[in-house]
Amino acid sequence: MQTIRNVAIIAHVDHGKTTLVDEMLKAGKLFREHQQVGELIMDSNDLEKERGITILSKNASMVWNDHKINIIDTPGHSDFGGEVERVLNMADGVLLLVDAFEGPMPQTRFVLQKALGLGLKPIVVINKVDKPNCRPEEVQEMVFDLMFNLEANEDQLDFLTVYGSARDGWMSTDWKQQTNDISAVMDAIVEHIPVPEERKGTPQMLITSLEYSPYVGRIAIGRMHRGSLKTGQEVAVVSRDGAVKKTRIKELNVFDGLGRTQTDVIPNGELGAIIGLEAFDIGDSICDAENPEPLDPIAIDEPTMSMLFTINNSPFFGKDGKYVTSRHIKDRLDKELERNLALRVEETGSADAWNVYGRGVLHLSVLIETMRREGYELQVGQPRVIIKEIAGEKHEPVEELTIDLPDEYSGRAIEMVTQRKGELLSMERKGERVVLEFNIPSRGIIGMRNNLLTATAGEAIMAHRFVEFQPWKGEINKRQNGSLIAMESGKAIAYALDKLQDRGKFFVHPMEEIYLGQVIGENSRDGDLTVNVTKEKKLTNMRTSGSDEKTKLVPPIIFSLEEALEYIQGDEYVEVTPKHIRLRKILLQEHERKRLAKNG
């Protein structure tokens, strides 16, 4: 028991969590001397590598001075807060990472609040002290103030602070004294993170994570809260609603390095994986077979946004994907519900469509992107915020928005946010940059990132987190410009695109296949416009010097998935296939759209 420490690493997105974990793994001598180790070892799936963010929390362990340290790497983005909330149940303490220049950010507050609420002991790591203009002492005070505001207890406020640069591989208790390794952090974990409390009695374990193996099926991961478990033991699995199922453990694993090793016993306080349990979910308890005493299930914050998922019924359906039917999509969403706690799926009146609820556009777009890479085709409607009825009044989710941008663009950003019903809370200068804080309805954030980046020449850094539901703020003006819609199916011809360039901006390349009703561009005015881009140049037998001039086309705008979801209007879908992201009108025929507009 003396030798185990369970520690979660929490921070705002991009403050260096996964980089610090890399250094800890190297310090724990998990790799051979000559072994080539990449960066961000824990960000193992393709989406994480491409985006450079952690999406799924992961476990690893190492030995330091005869103490076993179990590390839990968590996501920093509040859209994946469901991941953080459930894995913090496995830890006894947290390493709170803060950037030495930026200081605590909205997500720092979000994850720290969860950790303090669970009574976990923090160690503060002020990272990136090699940055120019950094202010470690100021940041340390800001962290203290933040903890005080979050009502931390005296033991939590008496935290140790370690300074350093995870990227350069050094940590020290004095930021002016550079060392040559990160032993200061490792020693701090052993010294300051509490040893798991020894609880004797019948076994109790809360399932906080799931893994899936094609060989042995679903694997339950959690922390041994009380007692111990042995291979072959009969146990009871108690679900959230109190139903009890008896089952037998086939195999037990504990974390070892980046993988797991088989063991006969999981002792009290250790993190482990159980193989061979039948039907179970995250939040269920594993208890004694004869006298089950379940633990409280994990409480998860509610979703704030929904999208309509439906089958792909465009003229191009089935060209790219393997899985295109409603049965395929329904099965995939059910599978996602097992491990993605912050997600909800509701049936609609149609057998081909579902309302999917999540924490934000990023949370849902990661699910859509994962599905598309697995070979699914689907269509997604405009993101909508969840409206609640409280005391007979309409309430909507409100978020705290932080924008960090150069001074000269601050006026433009304030104007943009206030037009979307945002209220300016504070304005703080940091060198040549300004940090603005707003309260803004979640509706106002949808579609704002693109406009803000355009207005600030790509310099703005935006972060937001959900605060609470507040009374409805009134209508918000959405996208001013209408869409350019394809009049016919066929190939987009460069000659036609060239002649229509004054009508707006296009989203398609020349010679790209398009279909009737597809949104192929943005109109330069409000209102939708139907255009024919499949028209070829008629050749004549008379050639004049000016008849064959080259067409000069502005390159088309290519949307990422999130940008497409934030861009579309209420009567449009994003069609997502393994190879394409297209925008389209829900009603492809123009006369149907006119009839609908006429009938209101």
Side-chain angles (χ1 to χ4, degrees), residues 445-468:
I445 292 178
I446 299 173
M448 191 168 86
R449 189 180 297 269
N450 264 358
N451 299 345
L452 188 67
L453 286 173
T454 310
T456 60
E459 288 265 5
I461 301 166
M462 207 171 119
H464 52 92
R465 72 174 187 98
F466 169 69
V467 183
E468 60 180 356

Side-chain angles (χ1 to χ4, degrees), residues 249-318:
I249 295 170
K250 287 184 185 154
E251 190 185 311
L252 294 174
N253 288 355
V254 289
F255 291 97
D256 180 18
L258 291 170
R260 297 194 303 266
T261 52
Q262 198 169 334
T263 180
D264 293 330
V265 179
I266 298 182
N268 179 3
E270 175 67 285
L271 310 186
I274 304 176
I275 295 165
L277 297 182
E278 285 157 33
F280 63 85
D281 277 309
I282 292 175
D284 293 358
S285 294
I286 298 168
C287 316
D288 184 51
E290 301 307 319
N291 182 20
E293 293 176 40
L295 292 157
D296 294 337
I298 303 165
I300 293 286
D301 285 358
E302 292 184 24
T304 57
M305 200 161 281
S306 74
M307 285 183 202
L308 184 79
F309 280 41
T310 177
I311 56 168
N312 185 9
N313 58 4
S314 82
F316 291 171
F317 83 94

Side-chain angles (χ1 to χ4, degrees), residues 406-420:
D407 197 2
E408 67 259 33
Y409 299 120
S410 57
R412 217 173 297 174
I414 292 170
E415 182 189 357
M416 198 178 285
V417 178
T418 45
Q419 279 173 353
R420 292 163 175 258

Side-chain angles (χ1 to χ4, degrees), residues 209-262:
S209 262
L210 290 182
E211 277 186 22
Y212 182 79
S213 152
Y215 308 109
V216 295
R218 295 168 73 206
I219 300 167
I221 295 173
R223 172 201 170 144
M224 209 61 224
H225 182 74
R226 186 176 78 190
S228 60
L229 288 175
K230 298 181 178 66
T231 308
Q233 184 174 343
E234 193 184 11
V235 289
V237 177
V238 185
S239 60
R240 278 172 182 266
D241 54 11
V244 179
K245 297 184 213 75
K246 289 197 176 173
T247 178
R248 196 170 288 281
I249 295 170
K250 287 184 185 154
E251 190 185 311
L252 294 174
N253 288 355
V254 289
F255 291 97
D256 180 18
L258 291 170
R260 297 194 303 266
T261 52
Q262 198 169 334

Side-chain angles (χ1 to χ4, degrees), residues 10-79:
I10 59 173
H12 180 79
V13 63
D14 258 359
H15 278 194
K17 289 181 297 302
T18 309
T19 309
L20 179 64
V21 174
D22 286 358
E23 292 304 318
M24 292 170 80
L25 296 174
K26 288 174 195 166
K29 304 255 189 311
L30 288 190
F31 309 107
R32 293 187 293 278
E33 293 297 320
H34 59 276
Q35 192 172 342
Q36 280 295 313
V37 183
E39 287 184 341
L40 306 179
I41 304 157
M42 299 287 270
D43 285 351
S44 49
N45 74 30
D46 293 344
L47 263 178
E48 292 181 318
K49 287 176 183 163
E50 282 168 31
R51 290 165 182 257
I53 59 172
T54 305
I55 295 169
L56 299 166
S57 61
K58 301 180 199 61
N59 299 61
S61 83
M62 71 207 46
V63 174
W64 179 261
N65 296 347
D66 299 334
H67 295 277
K68 180 177 181 184
I69 298 177
N70 286 316
I71 302 176
I72 306 154
D73 186 18
T74 65
H77 216 288
S78 63
D79 278 24

Side-chain angles (χ1 to χ4, degrees), residues 96-351:
L96 173 71
L97 235 76
V98 188
D99 185 302
F101 174 67
E102 291 180 359
M105 297 288 279
Q107 270 91 326
T108 316
R109 185 189 182 96
F110 172 80
V111 288
L112 182 60
Q113 195 168 7
K114 299 287 172 205
L116 295 175
L118 288 167
L120 303 180
K121 171 83 177 170
I123 293 175
V124 175
V125 179
I126 294 182
N127 192 21
K128 307 191 183 183
V129 298
D130 53 333
K131 267 189 174 180
N133 304 339
C134 72
R135 40 196 196 131
E137 278 128 349
E138 250 179 86
V139 167
Q140 203 255 0
E141 280 178 27
M142 289 160 79
V143 173
F144 183 85
D145 292 344
L146 176 62
M147 286 201 196
F148 187 75
N149 292 339
L150 293 176
E151 297 176 0
N153 62 34
E154 287 207 9
D155 181 45
Q156 289 169 330
L157 284 174
D158 183 23
F159 58 84
L160 175 79
T161 308
V162 182
Y163 304 88
S165 164
R167 191 193 61 189
D168 297 344
W170 68 272
M171 288 283 159
S172 166
T173 46
D174 178 0
W175 68 279
K176 293 174 184 140
Q177 300 279 317
Q178 185 168 341
T179 58
N180 48 17
D181 60 12
I182 63 153
S183 51
V185 168
M186 308 299 275
D187 293 339
I189 291 173
V190 170
E191 208 173 310
H192 292 270
I193 299 291
V195 176
E197 194 180 321
E198 185 148 9
R199 298 184 181 94
K200 291 195 167 70
T202 56
Q204 278 184 321
M205 180 190 225
L206 190 67
I207 300 173
T208 44
S209 262
L210 290 182
E211 277 186 22
Y212 182 79
S213 152
Y215 308 109
V216 295
R218 295 168 73 206
I219 300 167
I221 295 173
R223 172 201 170 144
M224 209 61 224
H225 182 74
R226 186 176 78 190
S228 60
L229 288 175
K230 298 181 178 66
T231 308
Q233 184 174 343
E234 193 184 11
V235 289
V237 177
V238 185
S239 60
R240 278 172 182 266
D241 54 11
V244 179
K245 297 184 213 75
K246 289 197 176 173
T247 178
R248 196 170 288 281
I249 295 170
K250 287 184 185 154
E251 190 185 311
L252 294 174
N253 288 355
V254 289
F255 291 97
D256 180 18
L258 291 170
R260 297 194 303 266
T261 52
Q262 198 169 334
T263 180
D264 293 330
V265 179
I266 298 182
N268 179 3
E270 175 67 285
L271 310 186
I274 304 176
I275 295 165
L277 297 182
E278 285 157 33
F280 63 85
D281 277 309
I282 292 175
D284 293 358
S285 294
I286 298 168
C287 316
D288 184 51
E290 301 307 319
N291 182 20
E293 293 176 40
L295 292 157
D296 294 337
I298 303 165
I300 293 286
D301 285 358
E302 292 184 24
T304 57
M305 200 161 281
S306 74
M307 285 183 202
L308 184 79
F309 280 41
T310 177
I311 56 168
N312 185 9
N313 58 4
S314 82
F316 291 171
F317 83 94
K319 283 191 173 184
D320 296 350
K322 285 191 291 190
Y323 310 111
V324 293
T325 64
S326 56
R327 181 178 61 85
H328 285 134
I329 295 173
K330 176 80 175 86
D331 290 351
R332 179 65 182 81
L333 289 174
D334 287 345
K335 193 173 138 198
E336 188 67 26
L337 281 173
E338 288 182 355
R339 58 170 54 196
N340 199 333
L341 279 196
L343 199 75
R344 309 250 169 92
V345 177
E346 266 180 22
E347 307 275 333
T348 60
S350 152

